[in-house]
Amino acid sequence: MKDLKHLIYFESLLQEAQNELVNKAVEDGQIALGYNCYYIPEVLMNLDGCFSSRLRAPNCTSSDVADYYMTTRNCPYVRAILERGIEGGYNYLSALFGAENCAAMERMEEHFFLINPVKNEKFFVTQIDPPMKGDKTNLDYYKVQLKLKVVDELEKRFGIDVSDAAMRKAVEEHNDLCRTVTEIGNFRKLDNPPITGYEFHVIQLVSQVCPHKLILPYLKETLEELKTRKPDKEFPYRARVILVGSEIDDPEFTKLVEMSGAYVCADRYCFGSFPSREEITIEEGETAFDAICRHYLYWNQCARFMDGFKIDQRHDIVAQLAKDYKADGVIYESMKFCEFWSYEKILANHVLTTEKHIPCCTIEKEYALGAVGQLRTRFQAFIESLEIKTIQGGN
């Protein structure tokens, strides 16, 4: 296929957290707000006057200093984030909105105020206590947490307009971005898509780490380009798979899967578009803030949720994605030392293979892409098993 016009530019934006568009927004007086998790609503950090920046540590090959504070027996993602902070990679931030969703994440966020690695006089850290269930009681608690520790802080510290009208405007702009990314992602449903899983991964990531108002024109132009882009004459992959799991913010991981022979047709992982690019609906008589809280609690697929509804929802959504995107199988990933996703990976593998009859491959990996040979071997073996299943008529 012909190269996408903006792909090289998008890839360059992913090389540093403080990329070209982040610098432009900060220079224009916009307030940069960092976050690590879907529990913190992206839309609230894109009210007028500020923009969201989901934290990554691109090209992090060592976390030696962070290991001193957190030990090597902790999640490599959070250690990489702390390491990058100590290196000065997040000095553009004015705040870090954290969520105590696991012990490792909480401890990493605590170090952002204990050792003060971000050299910005405006910088502060706040943490919400996120719910573990999806019922009304937990929704009410979620609202209180977000109001006290996100909305009120934005208004008090930065003078951000947090009125209902301002939130409705933010929701409209957020939905515009979501529609654009979703329409791009929908091309993956085609038998012979005009976009690779790697390319979509890059596009989804830039939509999370760049100021929305600055990246959206490039995304819209890419969408129009894809409408006329001609794919290869024959589908060049041996199978179609969904990637599911925790933090996968390195597109090279998706590229590795595709180089092994499987097309990545959907992305249900932290940093993926499921969830994150669903449009927010405001029901009649509902405030924008209530709608935002309801939306993010419902769509959140974190393995931290322990009630039966959310557990079943996680598995049902993966099964529905497999149907909608014509996936032959699912690759379940967990970050090394990730307690929640390690349990979820085992349970989901059992449920999907025995109850929903969807083949699964489970892997554990470091934050930085390593052991490429071993991963490639696992992927190739799984893809071969999918081919055999297809040849045998699904038996």
Side-chain angles (χ1 to χ4, degrees):
M1 290 185 290
K2 182 180 178 181
D3 291 341
L4 290 174
K5 177 181 176 181
H6 296 304
L7 184 63
I8 294 177
Y9 180 55
F10 290 159
E11 290 171 330
S12 72
L13 292 172
L14 296 177
Q15 297 308 304
E16 294 182 37
Q18 189 171 351
N19 59 53
E20 176 185 325
L21 294 185
V22 166
N23 282 332
K24 186 177 188 308
V26 172
E27 289 169 2
D28 290 342
Q30 298 291 301
I31 299 166
L33 307 174
Y35 73 113
N36 294 100
C37 181
Y38 185 83
Y39 270 113
I40 303 295
E42 184 182 24
V43 64
L44 290 178
M45 291 178 289
N46 285 284
L47 291 159
D48 276 349
C50 53
F51 69 92
S52 62
S53 177
R54 187 154 186 172
L55 298 190
R56 301 169 59 243
N59 305 309
C60 179
T61 57
S62 170
S63 58
D64 290 346
V65 180
D67 292 349
Y68 171 78
Y69 293 100
M70 301 193 66
T71 83
T72 57
R73 299 293 181 182
N74 252 321
C75 166
Y77 167 74
V78 300
R79 286 187 280 125
I81 296 299
L82 181 59
E83 183 80 14
R84 187 53 48 85
I86 294 170
E87 293 170 349
Y90 305 127
N91 288 342
Y92 66 94
L93 291 177
S94 291
L96 171 59
F97 289 98
E100 301 173 14
N101 46 347
C102 71
M105 186 79 79
E106 178 184 4
R107 185 152 180 79
M108 176 271 288
E109 292 161 354
E110 286 177 346
H111 276 94
F112 268 81
F113 64 78
L114 288 173
I115 64 176
N116 192 31
V118 176
K119 306 310 176 186
N120 183 334
E121 60 182 14
K122 296 180 181 179
F123 183 78
F124 75 99
V125 181
T126 183
Q127 294 174 301
I128 70 164
D129 177 22
M132 298 184 71
K133 296 183 178 181
D135 57 22
K136 185 181 183 303
T137 300
N138 281 266
L139 174 58
D140 290 340
Y141 184 68
Y142 189 42
K143 290 178 184 178
V144 171
Q145 288 287 302
L146 290 178
K147 176 69 167 59
L148 179 66
K149 298 181 179 179
V150 178
V151 175
D152 289 353
E153 291 289 346
L154 289 175
E155 183 178 32
K156 177 179 66 177
R157 291 180 182 266
F158 304 123
I160 299 297
D161 182 1
V162 296
S163 65
D164 186 66
M167 288 193 186
R168 287 176 183 270
K169 179 184 177 185
V171 167
E172 290 177 5
E173 293 172 347
H174 179 79
N175 285 348
D176 190 15
L177 179 86
C178 290
R179 279 192 296 271
T180 302
V181 175
T182 297
E183 194 168 347
I184 291 173
N186 282 343
F187 284 110
R188 297 175 295 173
K189 295 179 179 179
L190 300 176
D191 292 336
N192 192 8
I195 185 172
T196 66
Y198 166 79
E199 290 170 333
F200 182 80
H201 195 168
V202 169
I203 289 168
Q204 165 64 7
L205 281 176
V206 296
S207 78
Q208 292 181 313
V209 304
C210 297
H212 288 182
K213 291 179 181 178
L214 298 181
I215 196 64
L216 185 55
Y218 293 100
L219 299 179
K220 286 183 176 291
E221 189 173 342
T222 300
L223 172 58
E224 293 305 312
E225 181 182 0
L226 284 167
K227 290 178 179 178
T228 57
R229 191 188 197 197
K230 300 296 183 183
D232 296 332
K233 288 186 178 181
E234 294 185 8
F235 186 60
Y237 300 97
R238 297 156 58 194
R240 299 167 65 96
V241 299
I242 300 172
L243 280 185
V244 182
S246 57
E247 283 85 358
I248 305 178
D249 66 13
D250 185 355
E252 292 299 318
F253 183 77
T254 298
K255 181 181 286 187
L256 175 62
V257 175
E258 297 196 318
M259 289 181 66
S260 300
Y263 179 71
V264 178
C265 59
D267 51 331
R268 212 273 27 104
Y269 47 76
C270 302
F271 285 91
S273 63
F274 302 107
S276 80
R277 293 298 167 240
E278 296 84 5
E279 292 185 49
I280 299 170
T281 59
I282 303 176
E283 298 176 356
E284 186 176 351
E286 189 178 33
T287 68
F289 178 69
D290 284 350
I292 290 168
C293 296
R294 172 180 52 77
H295 175 92
Y296 277 86
L297 185 62
Y298 175 79
W299 284 108
N300 196 326
Q301 300 300 302
C302 183
R304 182 179 185 273
F305 282 104
M306 297 299 182
D307 64 322
F309 168 75
K310 295 299 284 187
I311 292 173
D312 291 341
Q313 184 192 40
R314 288 198 294 271
H315 303 151
D316 290 343
I317 283 179
V318 172
Q320 189 62 47
L321 287 174
K323 179 180 179 181
D324 294 343
Y325 287 80
K326 306 170 187 174
D328 300 300
V330 177
I331 296 175
Y332 259 88
E333 169 270 354
S334 69
M335 196 72 64
K336 194 174 183 180
F337 302 123
C338 179
E339 182 176 12
F340 288 120
W341 274 103
S342 294
Y343 291 135
E344 172 64 13
K345 180 178 64 178
I346 295 170
L347 175 61
N349 179 61
H350 171 76
V351 171
L352 290 177
T353 55
T354 63
E355 297 180 14
K356 300 183 183 297
H357 310 294
I358 301 173
C360 289
C361 170
T362 62
I363 63 147
E364 181 182 77
K365 73 176 187 69
E366 291 280 356
Y367 177 66
L369 187 60
V372 172
Q374 294 177 5
L375 288 173
R376 183 182 290 113
T377 299
R378 289 287 305 279
F379 295 149
Q380 288 174 338
F382 180 57
I383 293 163
E384 183 176 346
S385 72
L386 296 178
E387 284 187 306
I388 293 172
K389 182 179 176 68
T390 300
I391 292 171
Q392 294 177 342
N395 297 317

